[in-house]
């Protein structure tokens, strides 16, 4: 495969073999072929990948405790908490996975993650690791780096005055808000008469729903949910779990706001201790695929803005169907239309 050959040629210019390969690819590529070729070329290198320790498992019911401790054993760090977990899961099980991680490790370990994606929301997403690949599963890496890490997890949206309580739901579908069909309420909030049955990802990207999760310095912060489709029974299907009694607020965003997130993702907070004195030398920025769609050709401005903030450092940006990270008070969360980032920091030159 040409893509693998080009990657291997570029890696060959580096000194030594990589310890970990992060592989992000579109559904046009076959995860099985990518995994086979890369593990053949780098048999001693851990690998984690998803479409747009290492350990992985396939299926809907994952034994996360075994997966986490298996990754710790592979890293030869039994009983030692990692500095962070890099997580990729197929859509639909993110909240359960985060709950299992928090149950095992508490909220001490930051998670940076993104859900696997495809081109048409048709279920053709894929995940892979050095031992397997599939459409439904979880892959993760427990990282024990010899550098400092700075994390960001946030969105670029503002709350509107429109909100309502979930009064009926099934799975990830909101059936009613304040007793009315959810799609009808959402359309009224948006100032339109009706929304057609079917996908509305593009139309809802700049007007998602959100749940307030707390306040920081008196300012509310939110976890976003992207309406994926209007259902035949007048419901709204989301890309996150939802519970009865939760209050959903209509949010507002713009292209300029989405681009500004690239600057916020590169912000290094004073709370990270010595980070002010340290030099960024790389970053992983997980960016929502819905926001990528809304930006269109303006996505090319993203790199320039990020370079303005942190300098010309290497970074990688997968576009995902959901983002995972840690909220301001340590809560692990899965949201949509968000950015989850980790910046690698070293001593000044």
């Amino acid at each position: 495969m040409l893509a693998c050959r080009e990657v291997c040629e570029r890696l060959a210019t580096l000194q030594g073999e990589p310890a970990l390969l992060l592989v992000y690819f579109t559904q046009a590529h076959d995860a099985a072929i990518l995994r086979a070729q890369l593990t053949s070329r780098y048999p001693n290198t851990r690998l984690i990948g998803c479409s747009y320790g290492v350990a992985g498992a396939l299926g809907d019911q994952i034994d996360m405790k075994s997966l986490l401790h298996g990754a710790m054993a592979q890293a030869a760090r039994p009983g030692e908490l990692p500095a962070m977990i890099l997580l990729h899961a197929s859509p639909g099980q993110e909240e359960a996975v985060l709950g299992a991680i928090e149950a095992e490790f508490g909220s001490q370990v930051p998670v940076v993650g993104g859900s696997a994606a495809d081109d048409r929301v048709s279920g053709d997403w894929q995940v892979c690791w050095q031992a397997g690949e599939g459409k439904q599963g979880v892959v993760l890496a427990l990282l024990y780096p010899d550098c400092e890490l700075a994390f960001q997890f946030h969105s670029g949206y503002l709350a509107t005055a429109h909100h309502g309580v979930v009064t009926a739901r099934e799975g990830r579908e909101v059936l009613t808000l304040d007793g009315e069909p959810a799609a009808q309420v959402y359309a009224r909030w948006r100032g339109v008469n009706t929304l057609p049955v079917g996908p509305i990802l593009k139309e809802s990207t700049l007007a998602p729903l959100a749940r307030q999760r707390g306040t920081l310095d008196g300012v509310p912060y939110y976890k976003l949910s992207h309406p994926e489709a209007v259902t035949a029974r007048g419901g709204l299907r989301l890309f996150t779990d939802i519970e009865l009694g939760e209050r959903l607020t209509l949010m507002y965003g713009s292209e300029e706001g989405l681009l500004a997130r690239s600057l916020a993702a590169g912000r290094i907070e004073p709370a990270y201790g010595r980070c002010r004195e340290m030099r960024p030398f790389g970053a992983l920025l997980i960016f929502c695929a819905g926001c990528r769609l809304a930006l269109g050709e303006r996505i090319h401005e993203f790199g320039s803005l990020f370079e303005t903030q942190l300098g010309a450092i290497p970074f990688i940006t997968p576009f995902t169907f959901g983002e995972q990270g840690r909220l301001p008070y340590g809560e692990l969360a899965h949201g949509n239309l968000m950015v989850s980032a980790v910046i690698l920091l070293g001593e000044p030159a």
Side-chain angles (χ1 to χ4, degrees):
M1 182 184 287
L2 178 61
C4 279
R5 185 164 67 247
E6 291 178 347
V7 168
C8 291
E9 287 173 354
R10 295 190 66 178
L11 289 173
T13 64
L14 306 176
Q15 291 185 349
E17 291 196 352
L20 173 66
L21 287 176
L22 307 183
V23 185
Y24 298 109
F25 52 94
T26 67
Q27 70 177 66
H29 297 282
D30 189 316
I33 296 174
L34 289 171
R35 182 180 69 84
Q37 293 194 0
L38 290 171
T39 54
S40 174
R41 174 62 182 83
Y42 298 103
N44 299 315
T45 297
R46 304 298 184 194
L47 179 149
I48 182 173
C50 82
S51 60
Y52 331 45
V54 173
L58 301 178
D60 296 320
Q61 303 295 322
I62 306 295
D63 183 349
M64 287 299 299
K65 183 173 183 177
S66 296
L67 197 61
L68 290 166
H69 287 275
M72 293 171 80
Q74 286 193 31
R77 301 288 187 101
E80 181 181 346
L81 292 178
M84 68 164 277
I85 298 174
L86 175 61
L87 173 69
H88 293 298
S90 49
Q93 51 189 328
E94 300 95 340
E95 284 94 347
V97 168
L98 289 176
I101 291 173
E102 199 156 17
E104 193 62 25
F105 290 165
S107 58
Q108 302 177 62
V109 180
V111 172
V112 174
S115 308
D118 62 7
D119 291 345
R120 298 178 180 84
V121 199
S122 55
D124 290 325
W125 40 71
Q126 303 171 79
V127 295
C128 68
W129 74 109
Q130 69 269 14
E133 74 285 324
K135 291 186 176 182
Q136 196 73 13
V138 174
V139 295
L140 55 82
L142 307 187
L143 302 185
Y144 299 85
D146 56 2
C147 65
E148 297 280 345
L149 304 176
F151 302 92
Q152 291 288 345
F153 183 54
H154 60 89
S155 73
Y157 292 79
L158 300 174
T160 72
H162 300 294
H163 55 83
V165 173
V166 178
T167 45
R169 41 79 64 179
E170 183 176 309
R172 288 185 162 185
E173 181 183 354
V174 181
L175 297 173
T176 62
L177 288 166
D178 293 332
E180 296 183 68
Q184 178 180 316
V185 174
Y186 180 69
R188 185 168 67 244
W189 289 350
R190 297 287 309 277
V192 298
N193 291 327
T194 59
L195 290 169
V197 172
I200 58 167
L201 273 175
K202 186 173 183 179
E203 294 81 358
S204 62
T205 294
L206 297 180
L209 300 171
R211 289 158 286 174
Q212 184 178 337
R213 280 294 176 257
T215 59
L216 184 63
D217 293 332
V219 179
Y221 61 86
Y222 295 86
K223 184 170 72 171
L224 272 62
S225 297
H226 195 176
E228 170 200 347
V230 173
T231 66
R233 52 183 172 176
L236 281 178
R237 192 164 60 241
L238 311 178
F239 260 121
T240 67
D241 288 350
I242 202 76
E243 300 298 333
L244 281 177
E246 289 191 305
R247 182 172 296 278
L248 293 177
T249 297
L250 180 69
M251 308 294 283
Y252 166 77
S254 64
E255 290 184 8
E256 287 69 25
L258 297 181
L259 284 169
R261 287 197 298 166
S262 62
L263 291 178
R267 187 174 63 243
I268 302 172
E269 303 287 1
Y272 290 113
R274 294 191 302 146
C275 288
R276 277 185 169 180
E277 306 165 12
M278 305 190 83
R279 174 183 57 84
F281 64 88
L284 169 64
L285 305 171
I286 295 178
F287 200 91
C288 174
C291 295
R292 163 67 182 89
L293 178 66
L295 286 173
E297 291 303 313
R298 295 194 69 185
I299 191 63
H300 299 295
E301 299 175 35
F302 178 88
S304 298
L305 289 170
F306 187 70
E307 185 173 329
T308 299
Q309 185 79 359
L310 288 180
I313 63 172
F315 67 94
I316 186 169
T317 302
F319 301 107
T320 56
F321 274 0
E323 297 70 52
Q324 296 86 50
R326 191 165 67 167
L327 294 171
Y329 290 105
E331 319 97 302
L332 298 182
H334 163 66
N336 302 141
L337 302 165
M338 303 185 79
V339 60
S340 186
V342 57
I343 303 166
L344 313 181
L345 300 159
E347 297 290 345

